[in-house]
Amino acid sequence: MADLKGKKVFVTGGAGFIGYHLCNKLSTLTDDLTIYDNLSSGKMENVKDNHKAKFVEGDILDVKKLCSQPK
């Protein structure tokens, strides 16, 4: 995972228990982390803890919104 410096990382489900821990680790390895979650079971407090990541609320089934995220 150390080769993520300078890479864009996009995590779906990043507000859940596993995603929270994954994103915390990834945020130490990259400066461009986006968390995408619909908050159906995840918690916003999990996302707020990660100050380096960008959060987008959405559902992966909403393809139009998912594909329109800034590059």
Side-chain angles (χ1 to χ4, degrees), residues 8 11 16 19 29 32 37 43 50-51 62-64 67 69:
K8 293 182 180 186
V11 177
L29 302 173
D32 196 350
D37 199 298
K43 298 177 183 173
N50 196 325
H51 301 288
D62 184 354
V63 177
K64 186 175 180 182
C67 293
Q69 293 307 305

Side-chain angles (χ1 to χ4, degrees), residues 14-27:
F17 179 78
I18 295 171
Y20 164 76
H21 292 286
L22 174 65
C23 289
N24 280 345
K25 178 62 178 178
L26 288 171
S27 69

Side-chain angles (χ1 to χ4, degrees), residues 2 10 16 21 23 26-29 35 53-54 57 60 66 71:
F10 188 86
H21 292 286
C23 289
L26 288 171
S27 69
T28 67
L29 302 173
I35 300 169
K54 175 186 170 195
E57 185 174 354
I60 61 169
L66 182 64
K71 302 205 176 358

Side-chain angles (χ1 to χ4, degrees), residues 25-59:
K25 178 62 178 178
L26 288 171
S27 69
T28 67
L29 302 173
T30 184
D31 294 325
D32 196 350
L33 174 63
T34 301
I35 300 169
Y36 194 83
D37 199 298
N38 65 4
L39 300 175
S40 64
S41 61
K43 298 177 183 173
M44 190 61 172
E45 0 358 314
N46 290 345
V47 176
K48 288 182 181 177
D49 284 350
N50 196 325
H51 301 288
K52 291 178 68 179
K54 175 186 170 195
F55 175 71
V56 178
E57 185 174 354
D59 194 303

